[in-house]
Amino acid sequence: MKRTAWVAGCALALSVLGSAGVPAQAQAQTTLRIMWYSDGNEGEVMNDLLRRFEDKNKDVKVVLDQVPFKAINETLPVQLASGQGPDLARITDMGGLAPYLMDVRAHVKDPAYWEQNYGPFLQWMRVPGNSTAIPGYMTQLTVTGPFVNKTLFEQAGVAMPGANATWEDWAKAAKAVADKVQAPFPVAFDRSGHRFFGLAVSQGAQMAEVGGELKPVDDGFKRAAKLVVDWHKSGVMSKELWGAVSGTAYRGANEEFKNAQVVFYESGSWQTAQFDKTIGDAFDWIAVPTPCGPANCSAMPGGAALVALKTGSHPAEVGRLLDYLASEEVAAEFYARTLFVPGHIGLAKKGIAYKSASPQAAAALKVFGDAVGKLDPVAYRIQGDPSSRIVFNAAISRLGQVVVGETSLDDAYQRISADVAQQIAERRKKQ
């Protein structure tokens, strides 16, 4: 072989293999990392969808880093504030983390599709004053609401409260059931500020701005707080749940509910898939409409969004990935397989066929879907407020102190207001 032919052959081989002896296509591959948490099987479903995306996009590799929700709620904000973080993350505090979200509007094929189908929820992800950013999409729309152990009611011979029943009606009935069947938890709430506001909004809480200053504690807030404290004092709620952790730490009661220890559990739609799998037909469990307060019978909306982060450095690839996942066909499959209420306007109107859901799960999803139409505008506003997470955390921290006897309600109200004012002021200094 002539030297010139050999050199040409080597050059061709190097162009194909690259300097490290691996295919040039692999060398050019972009890796995207997603920080992800799961309540049920959504991590498994998402991994399946990501592998399909990679099959069609050989230049992109997507790594799904699955972490506990605590890491999303507590660790990720600290990372982002220090300029570190993944390319994307599944988050719930959209308003609070909005300054760290990347706008991929220039990197999606059809912004009009996004506005049409995700528009109301994009508002939750945008910094105040921005009306165009597309930072991500809703992996689920959630609605707070109660799960009830119907079997325990039947065993106790106690009638379940009917339509438009109040919180007090359910508390009285749940206590009667628990006393008869020796269930340790008549009523359980997730130790979460968001779940507390599922009660507080119905009591008339507004979380309004007065004279440019946020007022987290109003008459509606106080009515809800007193109910929670009184229920702990009377044995309707147990200190074992809220007293097991302190500060802003989250504590769910899903384990206790699936073990048939809870009569009435205030949580939300995201638990449906988990209960369908872990409870099955061990006992009859149902979702019931949110109880009524003097203001309304509204739950709290919420959800989780998969968002692009400014800490990432591949906006084009992130935009391409989000376009794929947020497409109607792929999103519909994700919602159907995870048993989630769709956070997609078009799919919400068409309806989702939950083929894998048991009759109990399908019935629960209908209850939560119907609750969306009853959401009060105040609930949407509170959820989208950039300071909502600050208020939620302050509320649960200080009310937790009251529950365990460390302070009084009046003192807690003052401390909540002070905590919120201080943290908002600190955030403004950093911006």
Side-chain angles (χ1 to χ4, degrees):
M1 177 185 288
K2 293 184 179 179
R3 178 174 175 78
T4 53
W6 181 81
V7 170
C10 287
L12 177 61
L14 285 172
S15 69
V16 174
L17 293 176
S19 60
V22 296
Q25 184 185 42
Q27 278 194 317
Q29 192 176 56
T30 297
T31 297
L32 301 178
R33 302 198 77 95
I34 301 175
M35 191 174 185
W36 182 274
Y37 80 94
S38 293
D39 288 309
N41 70 331
E42 60 264 42
E44 175 186 338
V45 176
M46 179 55 67
N47 257 323
D48 188 16
L49 298 176
L50 292 177
R51 298 297 78 80
R52 284 192 236 160
F53 172 80
E54 290 177 337
D55 288 343
K56 297 179 181 179
N57 297 268
K58 300 294 186 182
D59 61 321
V60 180
K61 177 177 177 58
V62 187
V63 178
L64 195 71
D65 295 314
Q66 301 205 53
V67 300
F69 177 69
K70 183 176 181 179
I72 298 289
N73 195 34
E74 299 178 16
T75 306
L76 180 62
V78 176
Q79 290 180 337
L80 296 176
S82 65
Q84 301 176 341
D87 298 280
L88 304 98
R90 185 180 186 224
I91 66 171
T92 57
D93 183 16
M94 291 161 250
L97 296 181
Y100 305 109
L101 307 189
M102 178 189 291
D103 179 9
V104 296
R105 189 182 190 92
H107 303 288
V108 297
K109 292 180 181 178
D110 185 6
Y113 164 83
W114 283 78
E115 294 287 357
Q116 181 180 354
N117 291 291
Y118 297 105
F121 315 115
L122 290 174
Q123 296 299 328
W124 290 352
M125 309 176 203
R126 293 167 174 163
V127 295
N130 186 312
S131 60
T132 61
I134 298 178
Y137 80 102
M138 297 294 287
T139 59
Q140 69 186 122
L141 176 65
T142 62
V143 187
T144 59
F147 289 94
V148 173
N149 188 321
K150 184 180 178 184
T151 297
L152 292 182
F153 269 90
E154 292 171 347
Q155 290 175 347
V158 175
M160 285 194 295
N164 299 319
T166 66
W167 288 96
E168 291 88 344
D169 292 335
W170 275 104
K172 181 179 179 181
K175 185 67 165 61
V177 170
D179 288 346
K180 286 192 175 184
V181 300
Q182 299 301 301
F185 306 105
V187 171
F189 271 57
D190 289 333
R191 191 180 189 277
S192 155
H194 181 262
R195 242 65 82 229
F196 168 75
F197 265 84
L199 165 66
V201 167
S202 73
Q203 303 300 309
Q206 296 285 318
M207 209 181 93
E209 274 198 16
V210 180
E213 184 179 347
L214 192 66
K215 298 293 183 182
V217 178
D218 53 25
D219 289 343
F221 184 103
K222 290 180 179 180
R223 277 193 291 270
K226 190 172 189 308
L227 280 174
V228 169
V229 172
D230 287 348
W231 286 339
H232 277 91
K233 289 180 179 178
S234 65
V236 170
M237 293 180 72
S238 171
K239 294 180 183 179
E240 184 178 331
L241 295 177
W242 276 34
V245 292
S246 60
T248 61
Y250 171 83
R251 168 70 157 87
N254 48 302
E255 291 293 325
E256 287 78 9
F257 183 78
K258 73 182 184 183
N259 288 323
Q261 296 176 303
V262 180
V263 179
F264 175 100
Y265 176 31
E266 171 66 4
S267 191
S269 57
W270 59 92
Q271 302 281 19
T272 304
Q274 179 189 162
F275 290 159
D276 198 23
K277 181 178 180 180
T278 59
I279 299 174
D281 58 1
F283 59 84
D284 287 335
W285 55 275
I286 60 172
V288 298
T290 293
C292 298
N296 53 56
C297 307
S298 177
M300 271 292 289
L306 181 61
V307 296
L309 300 170
K310 291 179 180 178
T311 47
S313 55
H314 307 287
E317 288 81 1
V318 168
R320 200 192 324 164
L321 174 61
L322 288 174
D323 250 347
Y324 165 79
L325 293 173
S327 64
E328 184 168 312
E329 180 181 358
V330 176
E333 179 182 345
F334 181 82
Y335 296 139
R337 291 174 61 186
T338 55
L339 307 187
F340 283 161
V341 176
H344 180 291
I345 302 301
L347 290 171
K349 291 179 180 177
K350 292 181 180 180
I352 297 291
Y354 298 105
K355 296 179 181 179
S356 65
S358 70
Q360 288 186 127
L365 288 166
K366 185 180 187 311
V367 171
F368 288 120
D370 291 345
V372 174
K374 300 178 183 178
L375 292 171
D376 193 273
V378 170
Y380 276 112
R381 178 177 57 75
I382 290 175
Q383 176 62 19
D385 193 297
S387 300
S388 62
R389 181 68 61 175
I390 292 175
V391 175
F392 293 166
N393 285 345
I396 208 66
S397 176
R398 297 304 183 182
L399 290 180
Q401 291 177 337
V402 179
V403 164
V404 297
E406 293 179 1
T407 188
S408 67
L409 259 178
D410 287 338
D411 185 55
Y413 296 150
Q414 295 178 10
R415 289 173 180 267
I416 289 168
S417 297
D419 290 345
V420 170
Q422 178 183 348
Q423 290 182 48
I424 290 177
E426 290 175 353
R427 185 180 62 189
R428 286 172 177 165
K429 288 180 181 179
K430 297 177 182 178
Q431 292 176 346

